[in-house]
Amino acid sequence: MNRAILTAGITAAVGLHMLLAAGPAAAASGKVTLYRNADFTAPAVARIYNSCTGTATLTNPVASFDNQPLPGCAVILQTRAGATFTLCAGRGIVPPAYREADRALIKPGTTPPCAITTSA
């Protein structure tokens, strides 16, 4: 009987350790970094998010980005005039017409992969 209790206790302890080790890594999250420069330098905004909701007010122009979206989410730049640009998944350059966007929105949606992988 004692041996069964000891074995059950060890199994539970190992299972708890595995669960704790996998905790944050197992939870899905998205990450987006917007950069002031087109060479992926001078971060303007960096966000880690766990749901498809959120808004970031942009106080600096953004010229490039690194977008690792949460599945089912899209990151969208929105200008004062209401024009929008959806960021692709990966690294990319913001088109000139959207570099002065005043908001970045995280919404439910699809995110296509970036056509060209660029590096700093």
Side-chain angles (χ1 to χ4, degrees):
M1 185 83 164
N2 287 341
R3 185 175 189 157
I5 293 172
L6 179 60
T7 302
I10 291 172
T11 302
V14 169
L16 179 61
H17 173 72
M18 297 294 280
L19 181 62
L20 291 174
S29 63
K31 179 180 178 184
V32 62
T33 304
L34 304 174
Y35 299 94
R36 289 183 217 146
N37 300 325
D39 63 354
F40 306 97
T41 59
V45 173
R47 287 281 175 0
I48 295 175
Y49 56 94
N50 296 314
S51 68
C52 298
T53 59
T55 302
T57 301
L58 305 176
T59 57
N60 295 299
V62 293
S64 60
F65 60 88
D66 185 350
N67 185 29
Q68 301 166 26
L70 184 65
C73 297
V75 179
I76 302 162
L77 298 180
Q78 184 176 40
T79 66
R80 284 184 184 87
T84 60
F85 173 72
T86 301
L87 305 184
C88 55
R91 295 182 102 190
I93 304 298
V94 176
Y98 300 96
R99 291 185 180 178
E100 297 291 331
D102 64 336
R103 296 191 309 165
L105 310 169
I106 300 170
K107 294 182 156 190
T110 58
T111 303
C114 293
I116 298 173
T117 303
T118 57
S119 60

